[in-house]
């Protein structure tokens, strides 16, 4: 296996970590409108991710930075062709971070309501847009002989891309609901478990349609195996949630996220961005990679930094592992 293949897999792992962690993060943001019944319950949901949401976004920065360093041609074509959707994701992440920090800075209800609404919108939109972006990457977009994106923004939102966006939105919302059941106590915990049962079945239907479409278009044996694991884990998560095994349900929903990302990357390889105009114009892992020396230096840096990041983030989740409920929210929150 060549280093460019190793880094293609490494970038897949980074996106898996991001979608696993930020997936339930986005899901909690969506649930502030779907699950919470009042301001206190919205605060409970926000507090479940308050200590960790910014650490979750480190995985996105690392995935984007690794793509830039390991596959500069992929990075250039992707971020120029998908400029508007990715800019919208970036704006949402900025506003979302401000919403977390500014919501409680003033006591007026109107002030807090506006930031809570911003948190909902800026969680829902990226959850949808990431699915649409990766659907386009796997299916292929108009790339010309100069390796430039030759389409329009409208070309990025065809039926397949919209289905991909709905699949990630449904999956992340389900992922967030089982996380809410795992991290809360009292009435909101029971409602989160009931809602997770309904969301899980809806996510299974949409995700199955998207992954099967992907498999029929560009899949192979490896992607078919990942597809089966994703759907089996999702159905098992629904059953575990119904049995009240919240830890198992969350772990299995995480397996679903990981298997879904693996399926997309397996269906994509050896390309990194297929061209819908001419297969010879597609960007491949080998052709878009940096020099072997650059990849070697990156490998040494990753071998040192990755365990440190994992230990620190794991310690953060351990410190804030306890459940919270409405009884933990002060009256003037």
């Amino acid at each position: 296996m060549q280093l460019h293949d190793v880094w293609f897999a490494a970038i897949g792992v980074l996106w898996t970590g991001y979608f696993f962690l930020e997936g339930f993060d986005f899901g909690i943001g969506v649930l502030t409108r779907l699950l919470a019944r009042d301001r206190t319950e919205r605060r409970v949901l926000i507090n479940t991710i308050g200590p960790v949401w910014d650490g979750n976004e480190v995985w996105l920065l690392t995935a984007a930075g690794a793509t830039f360093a390991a596959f500069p041609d992929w990075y250039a074509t992707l971020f120029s062709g998908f400029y508007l959707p990715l800019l919208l994701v970036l704006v949402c992440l900025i506003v979302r971070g401000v919403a977390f920090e500014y919501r409680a800075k003033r006591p007026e209800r109107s002030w807090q309501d506006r930031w809570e609404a911003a948190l909902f919108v800026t969680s829902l939109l990226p959850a949808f847009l990431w699915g649409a972006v990766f659907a386009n990457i796997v299916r292929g977009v108009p790339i010309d002989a100069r390796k430039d994106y030759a389409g329009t923004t409208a070309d990025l939102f065809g039926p397949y891309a919209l289905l991909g966006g709905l699949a990630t939105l449904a999956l992340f919302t389900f992922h967030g609901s089982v996380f809410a059941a795992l991290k809360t106590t009292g009435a909101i915990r029971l409602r989160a478990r009931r809602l997770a049962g309904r969301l899980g079945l809806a996510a299974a239907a949409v995700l199955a349609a998207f992954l099967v479409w992907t498999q029929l278009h560009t899949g192979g044996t490896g992607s078919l195996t990942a597809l089966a694991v994703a759907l089996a884990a999702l159905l098992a998560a629904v059953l575990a949630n119904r049995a009240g095994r919240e830890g198992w349900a969350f772990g299995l929903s995480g397996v679903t996220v990981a298997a879904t990302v693996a399926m997309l990357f397996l269906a994509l390889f050896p390309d990194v961005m297929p061209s819908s105009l001419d297969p010879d114009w597609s960007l491949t892992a080998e052709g878009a990679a940096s020099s072997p020396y650059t990849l070697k230096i990156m490998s040494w840096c990753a071998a040192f930094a990755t365990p440190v990041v994992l230990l620190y983030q794991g310690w953060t989740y351990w410190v804030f592992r306890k459940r919270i409920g409405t009884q933990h929210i002060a009256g003037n929150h």
Side-chain angles (χ1 to χ4, degrees):
M1 180 179 289
Q2 301 295 317
L3 274 179
H4 54 74
D5 296 332
V6 172
W7 272 99
F8 179 86
I11 289 172
V13 171
L14 292 172
W15 281 109
T16 300
Y18 174 65
F19 287 141
F20 176 87
L21 297 172
E22 194 86 309
F24 70 74
D25 201 324
F26 288 144
I28 291 292
V30 174
L31 291 173
T32 57
R33 295 295 175 180
L34 297 183
L35 178 63
R37 291 181 174 176
D38 53 36
R39 299 172 68 206
T40 302
E41 289 191 348
R42 282 196 290 274
R43 187 59 183 172
V44 170
L45 291 176
I46 292 171
N47 281 2
T48 63
I49 58 174
V52 298
W53 67 268
D54 49 353
N56 295 344
E57 293 184 357
V58 170
W59 289 81
L60 172 61
L61 300 176
T62 308
T67 304
F68 172 76
F71 300 97
D73 290 346
W74 184 12
Y75 181 93
T77 303
L78 174 63
F79 280 80
S80 59
F82 292 52
Y83 179 80
L84 289 179
L86 293 178
L87 177 62
L88 182 55
V89 168
L90 177 61
V91 171
C92 285
L93 294 180
I94 293 172
V95 174
R96 192 167 178 268
V98 175
F100 276 116
E101 300 296 336
Y102 275 40
R103 178 202 171 275
K105 296 298 184 184
R106 291 172 56 177
E108 294 89 350
R109 180 164 186 166
S110 59
W111 170 271
Q112 296 183 4
D113 286 346
R114 283 195 293 269
W115 285 117
E116 288 171 358
L119 178 61
F120 168 74
V121 173
T122 55
S123 298
L124 186 148
L125 281 178
F128 172 83
L129 288 171
W130 281 127
V133 166
F134 271 86
N136 280 293
I137 292 174
V138 174
R139 184 173 179 83
V141 291
I143 299 176
D144 60 23
R146 297 180 300 173
K147 310 301 182 184
D148 293 331
Y149 178 74
T152 65
T153 301
D155 294 332
L156 300 177
F157 293 97
Y160 176 72
L162 294 177
L163 181 61
L166 291 175
T168 52
L169 176 59
L171 178 58
F172 291 168
T173 307
F174 169 70
H175 196 37
S177 65
V178 293
F179 180 77
L182 179 65
K183 286 289 293 179
T184 59
T185 186
I188 191 171
R189 173 189 177 188
L190 299 178
R191 293 204 316 276
R193 191 189 299 168
R194 289 196 297 269
L195 180 60
R198 297 193 294 271
L199 289 172
L201 295 177
V206 179
L207 186 66
F210 173 63
L211 295 184
V212 169
W213 192 344
T214 303
Q215 178 66 25
L216 293 175
H217 178 259
T218 186
T221 303
S223 60
L224 180 60
T225 302
L227 184 157
V229 171
L231 297 182
L234 180 52
L235 294 176
V238 173
L239 294 176
N241 173 75
R242 182 174 298 177
R245 303 297 297 272
E246 294 153 349
W248 278 99
F250 178 70
L252 288 165
S253 70
V255 172
T256 304
V257 173
T260 298
V261 178
M263 192 270 181
L264 295 177
F265 271 79
L266 288 168
L268 178 61
F269 188 79
D271 292 334
V272 293
M273 282 195 76
S275 173
S276 60
L277 300 178
D278 188 331
D280 292 336
W281 297 344
S282 298
L283 296 176
T284 65
E286 183 177 5
S290 294
S291 68
Y293 181 75
T294 299
L295 297 178
K296 184 176 180 180
I297 295 298
M298 290 177 60
S299 300
W300 281 107
C301 293
F304 171 77
T306 302
V308 176
V309 173
L310 291 175
L311 287 172
Y312 170 76
Q313 198 158 24
W315 175 79
T316 303
Y317 277 91
W318 174 256
V319 169
F320 295 101
R321 66 189 180 278
K322 292 184 178 180
R323 295 178 183 268
I324 62 172
T326 53
Q327 69 273 20
H328 299 117
I329 305 299
N332 183 20
H333 62 276

